[in-house]
Structure formats: structure tokens, C-alpha cells
């Protein structure tokens, strides 16, 4: 969907994007993470054509002409650009003039979709931050884009606002829209992202799927049962090389080796008459992994 | 380009402030011109009144308020990135704003002249008029102002600083160039090529064709020059 090869960008003599290669696939929710000044926003601006690369290539939609391909990308960079003296509908109506054939019905439907259908004559200046973000997303959604690029879309939002945006992103992704999102709120990002790009000092340090990251972050599986000894014996019998840490707790032990599917472990124990009180993966968070990866 | 122009058109004319400025501008022009009726005994007539509605300088002051408003608003409200992000290049957006500034100026000019003509006819009665050549030159001069104002508004991108600059720098620049001309005493006068000079000879109904042509040529040079300088500046700003 978006393929970037050997992209470079400098401001004056400072290199802000350094030989970045990146691949966003169709259907991805691609999370771009990195410290402030890592180059996330600049990379997004380069994709959108808001600034020019020194060299390297950006390919969107399998090599479609960039100015056309960019028309199919919706975006919010840094903060949504809105006319504060206008209502949500007036903002949408005005921006709709930049598109081909956006009808009032589509505008109303988009406003309903982002939960702003009932704002009526209320001016944007009276909106909460979450409402402004949602209006920004509605504007970005105009013209039925294939890709949405959102720079820090949940920054400054309260938990309710974060949930609203998160649910909206998941719903839109399920409807076929590919996302590229940057955020500092890594745990929030971890709830929706399917692939990560980790940036540091203008470089893409790593690209990793959420699945792979999950595996890497998982340190052990914690299990609580009614009969710890029996459970350990069953597991050792079933899995030859299983690494078990018994702990000092009466009913709890850890499986330290990799476990593909915890539900199999659960059913194995239950089928052998062991009551399982809890079973879950424990490990480092995305934040821990990120800090570890960037050596902070 | 059509979509961008349509966007600018809706953006501007849905602002109540624009209509307020328009009404104040016309009020100023009419009131300022009205005392001319007492000059009847000095041979003043309808033509003089038509021609001089724009020469008192107020029209350019209003342009200095409206054009930064057209150009800077999207930058100030951070909306410009929405437009760029939709695949419109900076040059296209710049050109659209330039063309729109020119169109709005031409429109305001025509409104001012129409109102001035009605006032002149009301005061002096209808005479057959021969001032269309001067009015054409005035139109070009106003378009030169629009291009000049557009250029500096695009450079500053903030309406406050743009308005302050556009109100003070053109007369100040003229003053400085005149001083320079007096000091150097060269065969060529730099002051004659300054923007304020495009209107300097266009206030009387009796100027000759050569002066009209010279004014139109200078105005065209300003329009074209400002457009290309602005384009180069925009390209450099967004490199």
C-alpha cells in the first residue's frame, strides 16, 4: 500500500530522515513509534507530500501517480486544521469543495459516524479536544480514502475520548481502511496496531508485526490451579522440554518456555482433572520493549 | 484549480466580516468623494468624480485588509495542510490564492466604480464619458497592488503583520526612493517605478495616452513580477 525506499530528508544540515525503508500493507494499522524528534511526523509529511524528500522513493498503491494516490489518503498531522468559527457541518461542507461530488448526505453520514451528527449550530471553538479530533477524522474520511494517516490522534484526550477514537479506528479498519498512526501512548497503540515501525534519530530501527512483538515481549505464562504438583506433572509429561518455575506461592507456577497457545494448556489441565483458576501471559509491555530497543 | 477557486470563493464570501469591510469601504469612498460636488464652479464634472473615487488611497487600504485575509487565513488556522494533503501542490494553492486575489480586486474595483458612477451621475448628471482608458489603467494599477499585497501576505502568512506591512511600506518605500532620487540626481528616477506611482497620474481626466500606457505597462510588470517572485519564494519555503 505504502512502500518507502531509502528515503532521506535534511533540514539545513541536520538529517531528520535517514535512509528509511518502510512497508505498510493493505489492511494494516501501522503504528509509528519513537521519541519526540525521531522523525515520525516528518515521515508522515513526506508521505503526504507536505514536504519534499532529498532522495529516495515513495510508492503508494502499487506505483500510482503520487499526486493522484495522495488524493486517496486522509490525514491529520499534528492537530486537525479546522475553521473554529464554523460549525462541524460548515467545516465539512467547505472542505467538500476540494473533492469530486461529495453530497450533503455523505457529510451528514460521516458526522454521524464520528458521533458529531447532533452538534447542530455549535461552533468548533466550543468543541472538546476529542470532538475536534473526531471532526478532523471525519474531514480526513471525505472522498472515501483508502489510507488514513493520523499523527498523535489521541494526544491530550481523556480516557473516554481515547476509547472513542480507538473504537472508530478499529471499526474503519474492519471496513477496509489502512491506517498509519503515531502516538506516544504506547499501551493504547498496543491495543489496535497490527504492525509497528520503531523510529530513532530519523532511522527506522525496526519493523515488526504485533504478533511477533507479542511473542518477544512474553516472558512467561502464569498459571494458578487447585493442585500445583499434579498440574506440573501433567505438563512435564506432555511437553518434554517445558521449563517450569514453581514459585513460592501455594497454587501458582510459571511456564518459562514459549507457549504458542495457552488455551491448549488450559484444556490439557482441565481434561486431566486440574481446576485452573487463571492462566495468562506475563511479560514486558510495548513500552518496556520500546525502551529496551532504543537503549533508553 | 477550479475546485481551489471555488473553495476560496465560499471561504471568503461566507464571512460576515467581508461584507462589513465592503460596506465600510463603499461608505468611505462615497463620503470622501461627495465634497467634489462643491467644485462644480471649477469645471469639475461627472468624469472627474468617476475617476477620482479610487485615487484618494482608501481603496488600497481596504485591499491591504482583504488580501491578507484571503491569503493568511488558511495558514493561521492551520487549515492549509488539509488542502496540501489532498494532493494540491503548494504552487497550485499559491496560484489559486493569487488568481482569487486578482478576481476579488477586480470585483471590488467594478463595484467601487459602479457606485462612484452612480454618485457622480446623481451629483452632476449624465455626460458622455471618455474616461474608460483611465479607468482601465486604474484597474491594472489596482491589480498590481493586489499582486504586491498577495506576494507579501504569502511571505508573512500572518494577517496582522501583513496588514501592518502593506499599509506602511508602500508609501514609505515611495518616500525613500524619492529621497534617493533627489540625492543621486540620476537621469532615471527610481521612484517612478514604485508601486504607488502606478496610480500617480491617473487622477485627472486630462492625462495623455502615453502616461496611461506607461501606467498599464508598469502595473503588468508588477503583476507578473510579483506572481513569479511569490512562486519562487513558496518553492523555497517548502523545500
Amino acid at each position: 500500500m505504502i512502500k518507502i525506499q531509502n528515503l532521506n530528508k535534511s533540514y539545513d544540515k541536520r538529517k531528520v530522515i535517514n535512509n528509511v525503508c518502510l512497508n505498510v500493507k493493505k489492511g494494516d494499522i501501522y503504528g509509528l513509534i519513537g521519541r519526540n524528534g525521531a522523525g515520525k511526523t516528518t515521515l508522515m509529511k513526506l508521505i503526504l507530500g507536505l514536504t519534499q524528500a532529498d532522495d529516495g522513493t515513495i510508492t503508494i498503491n502499487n506505483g500510482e501517480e503520487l499526486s493522484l494516490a495522495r488524493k486517496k489518503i486522509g490525514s491529520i498531522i499534528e492537530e486537525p486544521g479546522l475553521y473554529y468559527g464554523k460549525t462541524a457541518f460548515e467545516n465539512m461542507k467547505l472542505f467538500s469543495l476540494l473533492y469530486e461530488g461529495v453530497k450533503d448526505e455523505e457529510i451528514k453520514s460521516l458526522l454521524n459516524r464520528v458521533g458529531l451528527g447532533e452538534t447542530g449550530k455549535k461552533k468548533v471553538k466550543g468543541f472538546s479536544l476529542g470532538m475536534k479530533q473526531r471532526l478532523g477524522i471525519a474531514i480526513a474520511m471525505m472522498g472515501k480514502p483508502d489510507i488514513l494517516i493520523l499523527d498523535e490522534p489521541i494526544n491530550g484526550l481523556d480516557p473516554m475520548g481515547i476509547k472513542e477514537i480507538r473504537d472508530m479506528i478499529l471499526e474503519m479498519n474492519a471496513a477496509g481502511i489502512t491506517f498509519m498512526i503515531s502516538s506516544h501512548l504506547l499501551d493504547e497503540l498496543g491495543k489496535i496496531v497490527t504492525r509497528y515501525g520503531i523510529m530513532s534519530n530519523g532511522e527506522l530501527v525496526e519493523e515488526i508485526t504485533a504478533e511477533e512483538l507479542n511473542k518477544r515481549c512474553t516472558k512467561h505464562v502464569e498459571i494458578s490451579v487447585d493442585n500445583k504438583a499434579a498440574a506440573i506433572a501433567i505438563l512435564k509429561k506432555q511437553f518434554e522440554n517445558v521449563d517450569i518455575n514453581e514459585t513460592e506461592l501455594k497454587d501458582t507456577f510459571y511456564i518459562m518456555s514459549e507457549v504458542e497457545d495457552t488455551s491448549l494448556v488450559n484444556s490439557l489441565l482441565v481434561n486431566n482433572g486440574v481446576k485452573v483458576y487463571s492462566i495468562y501471559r506475563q511479560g514486558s509491555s510495548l513500552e518496556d520493549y520500546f525502551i529496551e530497543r532504543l537503549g533508553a | 484549480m477550479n475546485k481551489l477557486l471555488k473553495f476560496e470563493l465560499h471561504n471568503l464570501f461566507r464571512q460576515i466580516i467581508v461584507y462589513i469591510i465592503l460596506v465600510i469601504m463603499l461608505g468611505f469612498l462615497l463620503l470622501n468623494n461627495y465634497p467634489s460636488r462643491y467644485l462644480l464652479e471649477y469645471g469639475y464634472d461627472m468624469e472627474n468624480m468617476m475617476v477620482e473615487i479610487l485615487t484618494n488611497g482608501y481603496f488600497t487600504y481596504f485591499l491591504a485588509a482583504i488580501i491578507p485575509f484571503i491569503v493568511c487565513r488558511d495558514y493561521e488556522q492551520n487549515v492549509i495542510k488539509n488542502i496540501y494533503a489532498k494532493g494540491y501542490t503548494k504552487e497550485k494553492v499559491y496560484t489559486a490564492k493569487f488568481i482569487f486575489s486578482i478576481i476579488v480586486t477586480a470585483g471590488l474595483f467594478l463595484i467601487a466604480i459602479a457606485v462612484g458612477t452612480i454618485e457622480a451621475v446623481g451629483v452632476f448628471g449624465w455626460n458622455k464619458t471618455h474616461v474608460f482608458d483611465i479607468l482601465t489603467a486604474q484597474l491594472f494599477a489596482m491589480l498590481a497592488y493586489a499582486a504586491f499585497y498577495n506576494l507579501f501576505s504569502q511571505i508573512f502568512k500572518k494577517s496582522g503583520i501583513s496588514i501592518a506591512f502593506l499599509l506602511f511600506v508602500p508609501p514609505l518605500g515611495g518616500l525613500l526612493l524619492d529621497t534617493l532620487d533627489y540625492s543621486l540626481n540620476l537621469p532615471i528616477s527610481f521612484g517612478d517605478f514604485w508601486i504607488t506611482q502606478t496610480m500617480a497620474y491617473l487622477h485627472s481626466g486630462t492625462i495623455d495616452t502615453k502616461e496611461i500606457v506607461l501606467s498599464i505597462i508598469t502595473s503588468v510588470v508588477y503583476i507578473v513580477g510579483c506572481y513569479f517572485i511569490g512562486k519562487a519564494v513558496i518553492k523555497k519555503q517548502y523545500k
Side-chain angles (χ1 to χ4, degrees), chain A residues 259-283:
Chain A
V259 176
E260 284 280 334
D261 189 351
T262 49
S263 66
L264 282 179
V265 174
N266 183 40
S267 50
L268 178 70
L269 294 176
V270 171
N271 290 342
N272 283 283
V274 176
K275 274 187 186 167
V276 178
Y277 298 137
S278 68
I279 176 165
Y280 57 90
R281 292 177 189 275
Q282 268 203 340

PDB file of all heavy atoms in Angstrom, chain A residues 259-283:
ATOM      1  N   VAL A 259       5.118 -20.651  24.875  1.00  0.00           N
ATOM      2  CA  VAL A 259       3.834 -21.360  24.771  1.00  0.00           C
ATOM      3  C   VAL A 259       3.053 -20.717  23.626  1.00  0.00           C
ATOM      4  O   VAL A 259       2.745 -19.536  23.665  1.00  0.00           O
ATOM      5  CB  VAL A 259       3.029 -21.247  26.086  1.00  0.00           C
ATOM      6  CG1 VAL A 259       1.668 -21.905  25.925  1.00  0.00           C
ATOM      7  CG2 VAL A 259       3.797 -21.869  27.233  1.00  0.00           C
ATOM      8  N   GLU A 260       2.776 -21.531  22.615  1.00  0.00           N
ATOM      9  CA  GLU A 260       2.081 -20.991  21.434  1.00  0.00           C
ATOM     10  C   GLU A 260       0.632 -20.623  21.769  1.00  0.00           C
ATOM     11  O   GLU A 260       0.160 -19.575  21.421  1.00  0.00           O
ATOM     12  CB  GLU A 260       2.073 -22.044  20.318  1.00  0.00           C
ATOM     13  CG  GLU A 260       3.405 -22.208  19.591  1.00  0.00           C
ATOM     14  CD  GLU A 260       3.634 -21.149  18.545  1.00  0.00           C
ATOM     15  OE1 GLU A 260       2.644 -20.603  18.034  1.00  0.00           O
ATOM     16  OE2 GLU A 260       4.815 -20.861  18.246  1.00  0.00           O
ATOM     17  N   ASP A 261      -0.025 -21.571  22.461  1.00  0.00           N
ATOM     18  CA  ASP A 261      -1.455 -21.387  22.688  1.00  0.00           C
ATOM     19  C   ASP A 261      -1.802 -21.750  24.138  1.00  0.00           C
ATOM     20  O   ASP A 261      -1.756 -22.922  24.518  1.00  0.00           O
ATOM     21  CB  ASP A 261      -2.207 -22.297  21.691  1.00  0.00           C
ATOM     22  CG  ASP A 261      -3.693 -22.027  21.692  1.00  0.00           C
ATOM     23  OD1 ASP A 261      -4.152 -21.264  22.573  1.00  0.00           O
ATOM     24  OD2 ASP A 261      -4.399 -22.571  20.828  1.00  0.00           O
ATOM     25  N   THR A 262      -2.147 -20.754  24.917  1.00  0.00           N
ATOM     26  CA  THR A 262      -2.437 -21.002  26.333  1.00  0.00           C
ATOM     27  C   THR A 262      -3.731 -21.809  26.513  1.00  0.00           C
ATOM     28  O   THR A 262      -3.905 -22.514  27.507  1.00  0.00           O
ATOM     29  CB  THR A 262      -2.558 -19.685  27.106  1.00  0.00           C
ATOM     30  OG1 THR A 262      -3.439 -18.821  26.395  1.00  0.00           O
ATOM     31  CG2 THR A 262      -1.223 -19.014  27.294  1.00  0.00           C
ATOM     32  N   SER A 263      -4.615 -21.737  25.522  1.00  0.00           N
ATOM     33  CA  SER A 263      -5.885 -22.462  25.664  1.00  0.00           C
ATOM     34  C   SER A 263      -5.642 -23.981  25.642  1.00  0.00           C
ATOM     35  O   SER A 263      -6.382 -24.750  26.266  1.00  0.00           O
ATOM     36  CB  SER A 263      -6.864 -22.052  24.568  1.00  0.00           C
ATOM     37  OG  SER A 263      -6.387 -22.455  23.319  1.00  0.00           O
ATOM     38  N   LEU A 264      -4.586 -24.422  24.938  1.00  0.00           N
ATOM     39  CA  LEU A 264      -4.253 -25.849  24.891  1.00  0.00           C
ATOM     40  C   LEU A 264      -3.800 -26.326  26.271  1.00  0.00           C
ATOM     41  O   LEU A 264      -4.179 -27.410  26.717  1.00  0.00           O
ATOM     42  CB  LEU A 264      -3.132 -26.098  23.873  1.00  0.00           C
ATOM     43  CG  LEU A 264      -3.531 -26.116  22.401  1.00  0.00           C
ATOM     44  CD1 LEU A 264      -2.319 -26.345  21.532  1.00  0.00           C
ATOM     45  CD2 LEU A 264      -4.565 -27.217  22.156  1.00  0.00           C
ATOM     46  N   VAL A 265      -2.979 -25.477  26.897  1.00  0.00           N
ATOM     47  CA  VAL A 265      -2.500 -25.800  28.238  1.00  0.00           C
ATOM     48  C   VAL A 265      -3.696 -25.894  29.180  1.00  0.00           C
ATOM     49  O   VAL A 265      -3.827 -26.834  29.977  1.00  0.00           O
ATOM     50  CB  VAL A 265      -1.495 -24.731  28.729  1.00  0.00           C
ATOM     51  CG1 VAL A 265      -1.103 -24.996  30.183  1.00  0.00           C
ATOM     52  CG2 VAL A 265      -0.272 -24.686  27.838  1.00  0.00           C
ATOM     53  N   ASN A 266      -4.582 -24.927  29.058  1.00  0.00           N
ATOM     54  CA  ASN A 266      -5.783 -24.884  29.896  1.00  0.00           C
ATOM     55  C   ASN A 266      -6.606 -26.160  29.732  1.00  0.00           C
ATOM     56  O   ASN A 266      -6.950 -26.818  30.717  1.00  0.00           O
ATOM     57  CB  ASN A 266      -6.595 -23.649  29.510  1.00  0.00           C
ATOM     58  CG  ASN A 266      -7.827 -23.473  30.389  1.00  0.00           C
ATOM     59  OD1 ASN A 266      -7.749 -23.700  31.600  1.00  0.00           O
ATOM     60  ND2 ASN A 266      -8.929 -23.099  29.784  1.00  0.00           N
ATOM     61  N   SER A 267      -6.907 -26.520  28.475  1.00  0.00           N
ATOM     62  CA  SER A 267      -7.759 -27.702  28.273  1.00  0.00           C
ATOM     63  C   SER A 267      -7.051 -28.984  28.711  1.00  0.00           C
ATOM     64  O   SER A 267      -7.686 -29.900  29.229  1.00  0.00           O
ATOM     65  CB  SER A 267      -8.241 -27.778  26.823  1.00  0.00           C
ATOM     66  OG  SER A 267      -7.177 -27.637  25.951  1.00  0.00           O
ATOM     67  N   LEU A 268      -5.720 -29.034  28.530  1.00  0.00           N
ATOM     68  CA  LEU A 268      -4.968 -30.217  28.955  1.00  0.00           C
ATOM     69  C   LEU A 268      -5.114 -30.431  30.469  1.00  0.00           C
ATOM     70  O   LEU A 268      -5.393 -31.540  30.931  1.00  0.00           O
ATOM     71  CB  LEU A 268      -3.480 -30.038  28.580  1.00  0.00           C
ATOM     72  CG  LEU A 268      -2.551 -31.168  29.000  1.00  0.00           C
ATOM     73  CD1 LEU A 268      -2.812 -32.430  28.179  1.00  0.00           C
ATOM     74  CD2 LEU A 268      -1.092 -30.753  28.831  1.00  0.00           C
ATOM     75  N   LEU A 269      -4.955 -29.344  31.200  1.00  0.00           N
ATOM     76  CA  LEU A 269      -5.050 -29.448  32.654  1.00  0.00           C
ATOM     77  C   LEU A 269      -6.481 -29.784  33.082  1.00  0.00           C
ATOM     78  O   LEU A 269      -6.699 -30.666  33.923  1.00  0.00           O
ATOM     79  CB  LEU A 269      -4.589 -28.137  33.309  1.00  0.00           C
ATOM     80  CG  LEU A 269      -3.109 -27.793  33.119  1.00  0.00           C
ATOM     81  CD1 LEU A 269      -2.792 -26.429  33.719  1.00  0.00           C
ATOM     82  CD2 LEU A 269      -2.206 -28.852  33.745  1.00  0.00           C
ATOM     83  N   VAL A 270      -7.438 -29.118  32.514  1.00  0.00           N
ATOM     84  CA  VAL A 270      -8.853 -29.336  32.882  1.00  0.00           C
ATOM     85  C   VAL A 270      -9.272 -30.774  32.558  1.00  0.00           C
ATOM     86  O   VAL A 270      -9.906 -31.453  33.372  1.00  0.00           O
ATOM     87  CB  VAL A 270      -9.760 -28.318  32.158  1.00  0.00           C
ATOM     88  CG1 VAL A 270     -11.233 -28.662  32.338  1.00  0.00           C
ATOM     89  CG2 VAL A 270      -9.475 -26.917  32.672  1.00  0.00           C
ATOM     90  N   ASN A 271      -8.858 -31.255  31.381  1.00  0.00           N
ATOM     91  CA  ASN A 271      -9.217 -32.622  30.973  1.00  0.00           C
ATOM     92  C   ASN A 271      -8.582 -33.675  31.896  1.00  0.00           C
ATOM     93  O   ASN A 271      -9.048 -34.810  31.953  1.00  0.00           O
ATOM     94  CB  ASN A 271      -8.790 -32.884  29.527  1.00  0.00           C
ATOM     95  CG  ASN A 271      -9.641 -32.080  28.561  1.00  0.00           C
ATOM     96  OD1 ASN A 271     -10.725 -31.621  28.935  1.00  0.00           O
ATOM     97  ND2 ASN A 271      -9.146 -31.876  27.347  1.00  0.00           N
ATOM     98  N   ASN A 272      -7.503 -33.257  32.560  1.00  0.00           N
ATOM     99  CA  ASN A 272      -6.852 -34.193  33.485  1.00  0.00           C
ATOM    100  C   ASN A 272      -7.256 -33.933  34.940  1.00  0.00           C
ATOM    101  O   ASN A 272      -6.569 -34.342  35.874  1.00  0.00           O
ATOM    102  CB  ASN A 272      -5.334 -34.115  33.344  1.00  0.00           C
ATOM    103  CG  ASN A 272      -4.866 -34.852  32.086  1.00  0.00           C
ATOM    104  OD1 ASN A 272      -4.797 -36.075  32.062  1.00  0.00           O
ATOM    105  ND2 ASN A 272      -4.598 -34.093  31.030  1.00  0.00           N
ATOM    106  N   GLY A 273      -8.349 -33.245  35.117  1.00  0.00           N
ATOM    107  CA  GLY A 273      -8.947 -33.068  36.438  1.00  0.00           C
ATOM    108  C   GLY A 273      -8.345 -31.979  37.298  1.00  0.00           C
ATOM    109  O   GLY A 273      -8.623 -31.898  38.490  1.00  0.00           O
ATOM    110  N   VAL A 274      -7.543 -31.097  36.707  1.00  0.00           N
ATOM    111  CA  VAL A 274      -6.973 -29.983  37.482  1.00  0.00           C
ATOM    112  C   VAL A 274      -7.855 -28.753  37.265  1.00  0.00           C
ATOM    113  O   VAL A 274      -8.192 -28.418  36.125  1.00  0.00           O
ATOM    114  CB  VAL A 274      -5.519 -29.682  37.026  1.00  0.00           C
ATOM    115  CG1 VAL A 274      -4.961 -28.462  37.765  1.00  0.00           C
ATOM    116  CG2 VAL A 274      -4.633 -30.908  37.245  1.00  0.00           C
ATOM    117  N   LYS A 275      -8.216 -28.100  38.363  1.00  0.00           N
ATOM    118  CA  LYS A 275      -9.016 -26.871  38.237  1.00  0.00           C
ATOM    119  C   LYS A 275      -8.073 -25.713  37.944  1.00  0.00           C
ATOM    120  O   LYS A 275      -7.127 -25.486  38.712  1.00  0.00           O
ATOM    121  CB  LYS A 275      -9.761 -26.589  39.541  1.00  0.00           C
ATOM    122  CG  LYS A 275     -11.086 -27.301  39.639  1.00  0.00           C
ATOM    123  CD  LYS A 275     -11.827 -26.822  40.880  1.00  0.00           C
ATOM    124  CE  LYS A 275     -13.099 -27.628  41.070  1.00  0.00           C
ATOM    125  NZ  LYS A 275     -13.667 -27.422  42.382  1.00  0.00           N
ATOM    126  N   VAL A 276      -8.335 -24.981  36.858  1.00  0.00           N
ATOM    127  CA  VAL A 276      -7.475 -23.845  36.504  1.00  0.00           C
ATOM    128  C   VAL A 276      -8.183 -22.562  36.935  1.00  0.00           C
ATOM    129  O   VAL A 276      -9.264 -22.253  36.447  1.00  0.00           O
ATOM    130  CB  VAL A 276      -7.175 -23.827  34.987  1.00  0.00           C
ATOM    131  CG1 VAL A 276      -6.330 -22.618  34.614  1.00  0.00           C
ATOM    132  CG2 VAL A 276      -6.480 -25.116  34.562  1.00  0.00           C
ATOM    133  N   TYR A 277      -7.577 -21.829  37.885  1.00  0.00           N
ATOM    134  CA  TYR A 277      -8.185 -20.577  38.351  1.00  0.00           C
ATOM    135  C   TYR A 277      -7.859 -19.429  37.390  1.00  0.00           C
ATOM    136  O   TYR A 277      -8.694 -18.584  37.114  1.00  0.00           O
ATOM    137  CB  TYR A 277      -7.679 -20.235  39.754  1.00  0.00           C
ATOM    138  CG  TYR A 277      -8.039 -21.270  40.794  1.00  0.00           C
ATOM    139  CD1 TYR A 277      -7.111 -21.675  41.750  1.00  0.00           C
ATOM    140  CD2 TYR A 277      -9.315 -21.835  40.820  1.00  0.00           C
ATOM    141  CE1 TYR A 277      -7.434 -22.623  42.704  1.00  0.00           C
ATOM    142  CE2 TYR A 277      -9.641 -22.786  41.769  1.00  0.00           C
ATOM    143  CZ  TYR A 277      -8.710 -23.177  42.711  1.00  0.00           C
ATOM    144  OH  TYR A 277      -9.025 -24.112  43.645  1.00  0.00           O
ATOM    145  N   SER A 278      -6.635 -19.420  36.948  1.00  0.00           N
ATOM    146  CA  SER A 278      -6.269 -18.352  35.983  1.00  0.00           C
ATOM    147  C   SER A 278      -5.075 -18.812  35.159  1.00  0.00           C
ATOM    148  O   SER A 278      -4.271 -19.626  35.620  1.00  0.00           O
ATOM    149  CB  SER A 278      -5.927 -17.053  36.714  1.00  0.00           C
ATOM    150  OG  SER A 278      -4.736 -17.208  37.444  1.00  0.00           O
ATOM    151  N   ILE A 279      -5.018 -18.301  33.946  1.00  0.00           N
ATOM    152  CA  ILE A 279      -3.873 -18.598  33.087  1.00  0.00           C
ATOM    153  C   ILE A 279      -3.676 -17.393  32.167  1.00  0.00           C
ATOM    154  O   ILE A 279      -4.600 -16.998  31.454  1.00  0.00           O
ATOM    155  CB  ILE A 279      -4.069 -19.919  32.293  1.00  0.00           C
ATOM    156  CG1 ILE A 279      -2.896 -20.149  31.335  1.00  0.00           C
ATOM    157  CG2 ILE A 279      -5.375 -19.968  31.527  1.00  0.00           C
ATOM    158  CD1 ILE A 279      -2.830 -21.572  30.786  1.00  0.00           C
ATOM    159  N   TYR A 280      -2.548 -16.765  32.253  1.00  0.00           N
ATOM    160  CA  TYR A 280      -2.313 -15.620  31.351  1.00  0.00           C
ATOM    161  C   TYR A 280      -0.833 -15.373  31.126  1.00  0.00           C
ATOM    162  O   TYR A 280       0.005 -15.787  31.911  1.00  0.00           O
ATOM    163  CB  TYR A 280      -3.005 -14.354  31.859  1.00  0.00           C
ATOM    164  CG  TYR A 280      -2.636 -13.920  33.250  1.00  0.00           C
ATOM    165  CD1 TYR A 280      -1.563 -13.055  33.467  1.00  0.00           C
ATOM    166  CD2 TYR A 280      -3.373 -14.355  34.353  1.00  0.00           C
ATOM    167  CE1 TYR A 280      -1.240 -12.649  34.745  1.00  0.00           C
ATOM    168  CE2 TYR A 280      -3.053 -13.959  35.632  1.00  0.00           C
ATOM    169  CZ  TYR A 280      -1.980 -13.093  35.824  1.00  0.00           C
ATOM    170  OH  TYR A 280      -1.663 -12.699  37.085  1.00  0.00           O
ATOM    171  N   ARG A 281      -0.598 -14.726  30.003  1.00  0.00           N
ATOM    172  CA  ARG A 281       0.786 -14.416  29.634  1.00  0.00           C
ATOM    173  C   ARG A 281       1.252 -13.222  30.455  1.00  0.00           C
ATOM    174  O   ARG A 281       0.517 -12.256  30.618  1.00  0.00           O
ATOM    175  CB  ARG A 281       0.879 -14.043  28.154  1.00  0.00           C
ATOM    176  CG  ARG A 281       0.605 -15.182  27.221  1.00  0.00           C
ATOM    177  CD  ARG A 281       0.642 -14.671  25.793  1.00  0.00           C
ATOM    178  NE  ARG A 281       0.181 -15.703  24.865  1.00  0.00           N
ATOM    179  CZ  ARG A 281       0.972 -16.645  24.380  1.00  0.00           C
ATOM    180  NH1 ARG A 281       2.241 -16.696  24.709  1.00  0.00           N
ATOM    181  NH2 ARG A 281       0.496 -17.533  23.540  1.00  0.00           N
ATOM    182  N   GLN A 282       2.469 -13.277  30.882  1.00  0.00           N
ATOM    183  CA  GLN A 282       3.062 -12.124  31.562  1.00  0.00           C
ATOM    184  C   GLN A 282       4.343 -11.776  30.842  1.00  0.00           C
ATOM    185  O   GLN A 282       5.050 -12.640  30.348  1.00  0.00           O
ATOM    186  CB  GLN A 282       3.388 -12.478  32.998  1.00  0.00           C
ATOM    187  CG  GLN A 282       2.279 -12.156  33.947  1.00  0.00           C
ATOM    188  CD  GLN A 282       2.791 -11.970  35.360  1.00  0.00           C
ATOM    189  OE1 GLN A 282       3.874 -12.440  35.679  1.00  0.00           O
ATOM    190  NE2 GLN A 282       2.022 -11.300  36.168  1.00  0.00           N
ATOM    191  N   GLY A 283       4.617 -10.509  30.786  1.00  0.00           N
ATOM    192  CA  GLY A 283       5.879 -10.141  30.136  1.00  0.00           C
ATOM    193  C   GLY A 283       6.058  -8.663  30.119  1.00  0.00           C
ATOM    194  O   GLY A 283       5.370  -7.933  30.831  1.00  0.00           O
TER     195      GLY A 283
END
